[in-house]
């Protein structure tokens, strides 16, 4: 596994918009950039970052702007600006050979799964799933502080949080976390293996494309065992079940030691005879799992490292994760 260099003070972070532009939330983005600068970094944006559109530009140009940052020797890391819905459009234009030749730390979440996930499985290169560049806020909360520590190589243990806020509450402007965090598993667990995952709605769109090298990845690291994690945004329980079943049939869960699920951002149970947990049990069988983890769109969220060794514990509804680079 290739681990790109971590950041040092005054390094340049490149920001591109491989999905939506940040124009519709420009004030929030400007605040986020100031937070990153206040942590000791300089910023280089590509041309389409501040566009007010669900597509920052054409798929081909988005790939070109990403490549500009990738091949710029002054840029030490690439942060993706924001999520969205259309990043898949740029993926046919991504040159994975150039990524191999220019290993750089990359971080984002949600739709940027398209590039983070495929970079790890295609290039044997670690990537980070945690926050987009436009997500940071003043009076930086603990989960965002963790991400800022991770990009400089301080891989501190992350513990489950006490309270969380739903996506719906967050989008409505609520800031107070009122819901108790409780991780769900059949029994107390200790899992350790090679980490891979991201937003489920993005990963399933990549399945069976030329970029789908999951079978090769799990074979390569079978001695470590694979631990998947999934951030589920809006799939109802029926879509969730069928997607997991398709992944199982495609061999994704071969050599799997466990599966980690974040809290569903917008949960919706179509059929009471199959809720989310029932779907997991039906597909995974004896494979251990943890649900309702602090991963993904609900707040707070942990920073994950695709390609690294993850050590997970879960006991009495609480737990922790820790990463090793080997």
């Amino acid at each position: 596994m290739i681990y790109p260099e971590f950041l040092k003070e005054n390094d340049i972070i490149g920001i591109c918009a491989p999905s939506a532009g940040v124009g519709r939330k420009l004030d929030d983005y400007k605040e986020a950039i100031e937070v990153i600068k206040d942590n000791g970094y300089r910023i280089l944006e590509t041309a389409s970052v501040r566009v007010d559109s669900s597509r920052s530009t054409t798929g081909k140009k988005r790939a070109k702007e990403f490549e500009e940052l990738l091949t710029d020797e002054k840029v030490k890391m690439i942060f993706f600006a924001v999520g969205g819905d259309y990043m898949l459009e740029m993926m046919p234009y991504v040159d994975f050979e150039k990524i191999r030749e220019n290993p750089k730390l990359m971080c984002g979440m949600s739709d940027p799964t398209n590039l983070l996930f495929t970079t790890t499985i295609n290039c044997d290169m670690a990537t980070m799933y945690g926050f987009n560049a436009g997500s940071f806020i003043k009076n930086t909360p603990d989960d965002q502080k963790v991400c800022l520590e991770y990009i400089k190589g301080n891989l501190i243990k992350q513990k489950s949080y006490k309270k969380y806020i739903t996506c719906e509450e967050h989008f409505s402007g609520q800031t107070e976390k009122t819901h108790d965090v409780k991780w769900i598993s059949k029994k107390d667990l200790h899992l350790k293996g090679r980490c891979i995952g991201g937003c489920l709605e993005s990963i399933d769109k990549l399945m069976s494309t030329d970029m789908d090298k999951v079978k090769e990845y799990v074979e390569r690291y079978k001695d470590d065992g694979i631990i998947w994690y999934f951030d589920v945004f809006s799939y109802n329980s029926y879509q969730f079940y069928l997607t997991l079943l398709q992944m199982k049939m495609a061999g994704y869960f071969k050599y799997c030691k466990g599966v980690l699920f974040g809290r569903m951002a917008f949960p919706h149970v179509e059929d009471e005879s199959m809720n989310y947990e029932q779907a997991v049990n039906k597909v995974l069988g004896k494979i251990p799992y943890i649900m309702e983890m602090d991963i993904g769109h609900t707040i707070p969220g942990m920073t994950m490292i695709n390609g690294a060794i993850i050590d997970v514990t879960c006991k009495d509804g609480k737990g922790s994760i820790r990463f090793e680079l080997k």
Side-chain angles (χ1 to χ4, degrees):
M1 184 61 58
I2 298 167
Y3 294 100
E5 291 184 9
F6 293 107
L7 295 190
K8 301 184 296 294
E9 188 174 0
N10 211 38
D11 274 347
I12 295 176
I13 294 176
I15 299 176
C16 61
S19 189
V22 301
R24 70 187 81 180
K25 294 184 177 180
L26 191 55
D27 288 341
D28 291 343
Y29 175 74
K30 289 178 179 178
E31 177 181 315
I33 295 307
E34 289 307 310
V35 171
I36 295 173
K37 288 180 177 178
D38 288 345
N39 275 269
Y41 307 113
R42 292 176 288 163
I43 299 295
L44 177 63
E45 290 181 16
T46 57
S48 303
V49 167
R50 301 193 181 208
V51 169
D52 182 3
S53 175
S54 58
R55 295 173 170 88
S56 65
T57 184
T58 64
K60 188 173 183 178
K61 190 173 180 182
R62 278 177 265 162
K64 183 175 183 294
E65 291 187 8
F66 164 72
E67 193 171 297
E68 288 172 3
L69 298 177
L70 185 69
T71 56
D72 187 336
E73 293 183 358
K74 300 188 299 296
V75 173
K76 302 303 180 183
M77 174 191 172
I78 299 174
F79 246 130
F80 300 119
V82 69
D85 299 297
Y86 298 106
M87 187 175 177
L88 187 63
E89 294 173 336
M90 74 167 265
M91 294 307 296
Y93 305 104
V94 172
D95 187 338
F96 286 103
E97 190 56 40
K98 278 195 168 63
I99 294 176
R100 293 185 188 96
E101 294 169 356
N102 301 274
K104 288 184 179 176
L105 194 61
M106 290 188 274
C107 186
M109 68 91 65
S110 197
D111 211 23
T113 293
N114 284 277
L115 193 46
L116 299 169
F117 177 76
T118 54
T119 291
T120 299
I121 63 173
N122 281 267
C123 303
D124 266 343
M125 188 180 302
T127 59
M128 287 190 184
Y129 188 91
F131 293 91
N132 293 312
S135 299
F136 295 96
I137 60 176
K138 292 179 181 178
N139 303 317
T140 314
D142 289 343
D143 57 335
Q144 294 189 355
K145 288 178 181 177
V146 168
C147 185
L148 292 168
E149 287 297 312
Y150 268 40
I151 64 175
K152 60 185 181 183
N154 184 15
L155 306 183
I156 55 181
K157 179 188 285 189
Q158 300 179 71
K159 297 180 180 179
S160 56
Y161 292 88
K162 294 181 179 179
K163 299 282 186 177
Y164 74 94
I165 185 172
T166 68
C167 273
E168 187 173 1
E169 291 166 342
H170 172 64
F171 290 162
S172 69
Q174 183 175 326
T175 57
E176 184 181 0
K177 301 176 182 69
T178 58
H179 305 281
D180 292 330
V181 169
K182 184 178 181 180
W183 293 7
I184 297 172
S185 63
K186 288 183 177 179
K187 59 182 180 180
D188 295 345
L189 291 176
H190 178 211
L191 306 171
K192 189 173 183 179
R194 188 72 59 173
C195 181
I196 191 66
C199 182
L200 187 65
E201 283 91 335
S202 295
I203 293 174
D204 75 341
K205 304 298 187 299
L206 295 161
M207 201 179 305
S208 299
T209 67
D210 290 342
M211 296 167 284
D212 181 1
K213 305 297 183 185
V214 168
K215 287 184 179 179
E216 293 87 340
Y217 181 85
V218 300
E219 284 290 338
R220 194 157 51 246
Y221 295 109
K222 63 183 179 181
D223 290 342
D224 298 321
I226 306 300
I227 294 183
W228 284 91
Y229 71 92
F230 295 118
D231 169 15
V232 186
F233 184 66
S234 61
Y235 273 173
N236 62 40
S237 58
Y238 174 72
Q239 294 167 313
F240 174 72
Y241 165 70
L242 290 181
T243 300
L244 292 181
L245 183 59
Q246 183 183 6
M247 288 178 167
K248 181 180 181 180
M249 295 169 69
Y252 277 35
F253 299 135
K254 192 176 183 181
Y255 310 120
C256 181
K257 286 187 172 180
V259 185
L260 316 177
F261 296 94
R263 287 181 291 270
M264 314 297 166
F266 291 95
H268 181 66
V269 177
E270 285 281 309
D271 182 350
E272 290 299 330
S273 68
M274 185 175 291
N275 60 30
Y276 290 98
E277 189 171 0
Q278 289 168 331
V280 169
N281 282 316
K282 190 172 180 63
V283 174
L284 296 186
K286 294 181 179 179
I287 298 174
Y289 65 83
I290 307 172
M291 300 185 72
E292 296 288 308
M293 290 183 67
D294 306 289
I295 298 172
H297 286 78
T298 61
I299 298 170
M302 293 173 160
T303 298
M304 310 296 287
I305 306 180
N306 290 318
I309 298 293
I310 186 171
D311 191 312
V312 188
T313 62
C314 179
K315 184 177 181 179
D316 298 330
K318 299 293 182 181
S320 66
I321 63 172
R322 182 174 58 86
F323 289 98
E324 300 174 35
L325 307 185
K326 64 179 186 180

